[in-house]
Amino acid sequence: MCIFCKIIKHEIPSNIILENDDFLAFHDINPKAPIHILVIPKLHVDSFNEATPKIMQNMTTFMQNVAKEVHIDKSGYRVITNVGDDGGQEVKHLHFHLLGGAKLAWSHLSDSDPKGKF
Ligand code: AMP
């Protein structure tokens, strides 16, 4: 069983922000911003590649509610999902990072020159 499935079953402790029958939001253990929340479906899905429109539709509303819950809906935030090796995905259970609470940096994400590609 993957680590996030264990968190869903409360076999591993987590700092939960919001939960319903289908989704769970909890604080990232290694925050990269003042607010760094992970949002996951309770149904195990490996990554965004396997996400269905139904999951995404309901997850969107849930993530918006999480942003309201921690009062970053007005100030702004960033939503990230890493997919596979190149995406840097460490945990193979679909999750969205919600990052906020400060002005976030935005810089080159790889050493290759993006201008050379197009
Ligand atoms: P990713 O690299 O997109 O797969 O992100 C995985 C995230 O899960 C990382 O930001 C980790 O810090 C976070 N993480 C791993 N284990 C835990 C845990 N037990 N509780 C909370 N966050 C975790």
Side-chain angles (χ1 to χ4, degrees):
M1 191 188 300
C2 86
I3 189 169
F4 287 176
C5 283
K6 286 183 180 164
I7 285 176
I8 291 162
K9 287 178 180 285
H10 301 284
E11 288 175 16
I12 291 177
S14 69
N15 196 345
I16 293 173
I17 295 148
L18 209 60
E19 181 169 14
N20 67 16
D21 286 347
D22 298 319
F23 303 104
L24 183 67
F26 54 98
H27 288 281
D28 195 294
I29 205 167
N30 183 21
K32 292 182 166 51
I35 292 174
H36 186 169
I37 297 163
L38 298 174
V39 181
I40 63 174
K42 290 189 175 176
L43 180 75
H44 181 94
V45 173
D46 279 353
S47 80
F48 184 74
N49 260 342
E50 290 77 27
T52 61
K54 184 167 179 256
I55 289 178
M56 290 313 305
Q57 183 177 355
N58 296 329
M59 209 167 172
T60 298
T61 305
F62 185 79
M63 285 194 283
Q64 290 164 348
N65 290 337
V66 171
K68 278 186 201 135
E69 183 71 25
V70 296
H71 309 291
I72 56 173
D73 54 316
K74 302 278 192 305
S75 54
Y77 55 97
R78 190 170 297 162
V79 178
I80 294 175
T81 187
N82 297 323
V83 181
D85 286 348
D86 277 3
Q89 183 181 5
E90 285 173 11
V91 178
K92 306 297 189 249
H93 182 127
L94 172 63
H95 54 282
F96 286 86
H97 299 257
L98 253 68
L99 298 143
K103 271 226 182 302
L104 302 174
W106 182 244
S107 60
H108 289 297
L109 300 176
S110 88
D111 291 337
S112 74
D113 177 11
K115 286 179 191 151
K117 301 262 184 200
F118 301 102

